[in-house]
Amino acid sequence: AAGIPVKERVKVSQNWRHGRCRRETVLKWKCKQVAPFSSTLLMPWMELDGEYLYLSQAENIQAYRLCPDGTGLQRHPQAIFSGHQEDVCRFVLVNSHIVSGGGDGNIVLHKIHGSYSVKFSAHEQEVNCVDFQGGLIVSGSRDRTAKVWSLSAGRVGQCLHTVQTEDRVWSIAISPLLSSFVTGTACCGHTSPLRIWDLESCQLLTCLGTDFHRGAGVLDVFYETPSLLLSCGYDTYIRYWDIRTSTRKCVQEWEEPHDSALYCIRSDKNYMIASGSSYYGVVRLWDKRQTRCLQSFHLSSPTSSPVYCLRFSTTHLYAALASALHVLDFTAP
């Protein structure tokens, strides 16, 4: 919000609260033609970084410059990061590095400003999720393991630990204190879909929650602070955990009103949460001080697509669906 006049900030804040925005489809791409019942769908992921939006499309990650006047983004990528043989499943952007996991079981590390890149074979099946902090990568896979990898000089791509999760791992995040990491799993083979592990020893520290239904897999996790964590997934709930208070029960929860799985979640680390649903490109805004959804936006009709990833700045919200990137501009009205 720095540099935005106070009057403008108040207007933008009111626009978020009342759902007033200009909607635009800024990028479109062809949906992948796949065999019936195939699990290979184009599931884009993205990260925002100041002047750029990074978006995965099939096996590449493309960097798009955001327009300085706030009118979306330039349609042609400024840079393309490649290295995977199959689709990028997830990637993170940390300290001018991109770390991505792919359907080919590989992890690829790119330095954004330069040609340096490293690729190594990480898992026997697709790498569903990755995170990168403090010289370590954590990855989770369909092969029912989570792994910790070194990036220190002379040990790049060396596996330090393998955790047997008994379930496919859908989401993973390193705690801001760099002492532990959380895995979100499918909740089919193991009854706890949310588990926290010691980053150094990979011993299980705690399980979050109890009495999850079978299949209540966790698709996205987000640390606000070392002790505050958001999760969402197939059981249609957003859960807010305070590890200092209780690991058995979340401190707050919000239910998706149309009983849709929740694919992705983000917060402003204050009161606002944004979630992406599995049907009709529904993005919802939530206020932690309220029990009901604040606003909802339907971004895909008549064809239904999940919101695979969303990110927002002070003024814009970006949502990646199966075949398009949508932007909501809250400065407009």
Side-chain angles (χ1 to χ4, degrees):
I4 302 174
V6 173
K7 190 175 174 185
E8 182 68 14
R9 271 196 303 227
V10 171
K11 184 185 114 174
V12 169
S13 170
Q14 290 297 317
N15 287 344
W16 278 99
R17 177 160 290 280
H18 298 295
R20 290 193 294 256
C21 61
R22 183 174 64 221
R23 307 181 193 198
E24 192 185 355
T25 305
V26 287
L27 289 173
K28 287 186 176 180
W29 52 87
K30 283 191 170 66
C31 262
K32 223 170 181 186
Q33 294 301 309
V34 292
F37 312 116
S38 163
S39 63
T40 343
L41 291 171
L42 194 57
M43 298 193 286
W45 196 252
M46 67 178 155
E47 293 287 355
L48 270 179
D49 180 32
E51 300 169 19
Y52 288 90
L53 181 142
Y54 295 81
L55 177 74
S56 66
Q57 293 173 272
E59 62 273 12
N60 295 324
I61 297 167
Q62 304 186 1
Y64 294 91
R65 185 188 283 277
L66 300 172
C67 296
D69 58 1
T71 56
L73 46 87
Q74 294 175 3
R75 305 297 168 105
H76 296 288
Q78 297 274 309
I80 297 175
F81 302 92
S82 53
H84 288 283
Q85 267 68 56
E86 292 184 40
D87 290 0
V88 173
C89 298
R90 295 256 176 124
F91 70 93
V92 286
L93 179 65
V94 182
N95 299 335
S96 299
H97 290 82
I98 292 174
V99 175
S100 58
D104 53 8
N106 293 328
I107 289 175
V108 179
L109 166 74
H110 292 284
K111 206 165 167 94
I112 290 174
H113 309 292
S115 56
Y116 173 80
S117 69
V118 175
K119 172 175 157 180
F120 54 91
S121 177
H123 288 270
E124 292 172 13
Q125 292 178 280
E126 59 255 45
V127 183
N128 289 326
C129 49
V130 289
D131 199 6
F132 166 48
Q133 301 279 349
L136 293 173
I137 293 172
V138 292
S139 61
S141 169
R142 188 189 180 96
D143 68 9
R144 305 201 277 185
T145 66
K147 295 186 180 185
V148 180
W149 306 88
S150 172
L151 278 184
S152 57
R155 300 178 72 188
V156 175
Q158 183 180 332
C159 182
L160 303 177
H161 292 285
T162 299
V163 175
Q164 302 295 334
T165 58
E166 303 170 53
D167 252 333
R168 65 178 67 178
V169 186
W170 287 123
S171 52
I172 203 162
I174 298 174
S175 157
L177 285 181
L178 309 183
S179 58
S180 60
F181 65 96
V182 62
T183 53
T185 56
C187 201
C188 293
H190 192 284
T191 53
S192 279
L194 270 173
R195 281 171 280 172
I196 295 176
W197 312 83
D198 183 271
L199 193 54
E200 199 172 319
S201 67
C202 280
Q203 295 298 307
L204 178 65
L205 296 176
T206 189
C207 301
L208 296 182
T210 56
D211 303 325
F212 285 98
H213 294 298
R214 181 178 164 80
V218 173
L219 295 174
D220 203 6
V221 286
F222 180 70
Y223 272 106
E224 287 193 334
T225 71
S227 51
L228 294 173
L229 177 71
L230 284 159
S231 66
C232 70
Y234 280 120
D235 72 351
T236 78
Y237 280 91
I238 298 168
R239 290 189 173 86
Y240 194 39
W241 306 89
D242 186 338
I243 297 158
R244 297 163 304 186
T245 309
S246 172
T247 55
R248 290 179 61 80
K249 198 165 178 0
C250 62
V251 288
Q252 272 178 287
E253 63 182 23
W254 298 269
E255 187 177 8
E256 211 289 331
H258 291 159
D259 207 31
S260 299
L262 293 170
Y263 272 53
C264 53
I265 193 170
R266 266 298 180 273
S267 89
D268 62 356
K269 300 187 177 180
N270 193 11
Y271 292 119
M272 197 184 91
I273 300 170
S275 64
S277 301
S278 57
Y279 294 114
Y280 298 107
V282 174
V283 170
R284 295 193 196 279
L285 303 182
W286 309 79
D287 186 323
K288 287 180 193 165
R289 298 163 293 188
Q290 299 179 20
T291 53
R292 294 177 63 184
C293 155
L294 193 65
Q295 294 295 337
S296 59
F297 306 92
H298 295 247
L299 301 179
S300 83
S301 64
T303 55
S304 175
S305 166
V307 179
Y308 288 112
C309 185
L310 55 78
R311 293 289 181 268
F312 57 85
S313 63
T314 318
T315 53
H316 292 73
L317 185 145
Y318 303 86
L321 278 61
S323 60
L325 177 70
H326 299 265
V327 61
L328 306 179
D329 178 356
F330 290 90
T331 63

